[in-house]
Amino acid sequence: MSVCSTLDPCRCPLCGQDNRCAMAAQAPTNAQAACWCTREQFSAALLQQIPDAAKGKACICQGCVQKTARTT
């Protein structure tokens, strides 16, 4: 079972799709697993697109990261 709440840390704050964040999907009592996002480079331009309410609370999905990488 996921611990996702109203501001859903399991959803990309840019497109709303599942961000597949292993850390957000972990129950608080479990050891946090490493996630794909820990091995990814996020551009400053991409990070600036995150709404203030979601900053530090929800990961960007791989699709948005890859889309930005192709356009920059």
Side-chain angles (χ1 to χ4, degrees):
M1 180 176 203
S2 173
V3 295
C4 297
S5 63
T6 305
L7 182 107
D8 194 341
C10 297
R11 298 264 166 217
C12 176
L14 302 179
C15 71
Q17 296 299 311
D18 183 2
N19 60 20
R20 304 176 72 79
C21 180
M23 294 181 284
Q26 296 290 320
T29 57
N30 294 345
Q32 293 212 338
C35 183
W36 68 269
C37 63
T38 63
R39 298 178 299 277
E40 213 39 75
Q41 293 293 320
F42 296 86
S43 71
L46 180 62
L47 294 174
Q48 289 174 349
Q49 295 177 41
I50 301 172
D52 288 339
K55 287 185 178 177
K57 297 177 182 151
C59 293
I60 298 169
C61 71
Q62 285 177 305
C64 286
V65 173
Q66 292 169 353
K67 183 168 75 171
T68 300
R70 286 191 302 264
T71 60
T72 56

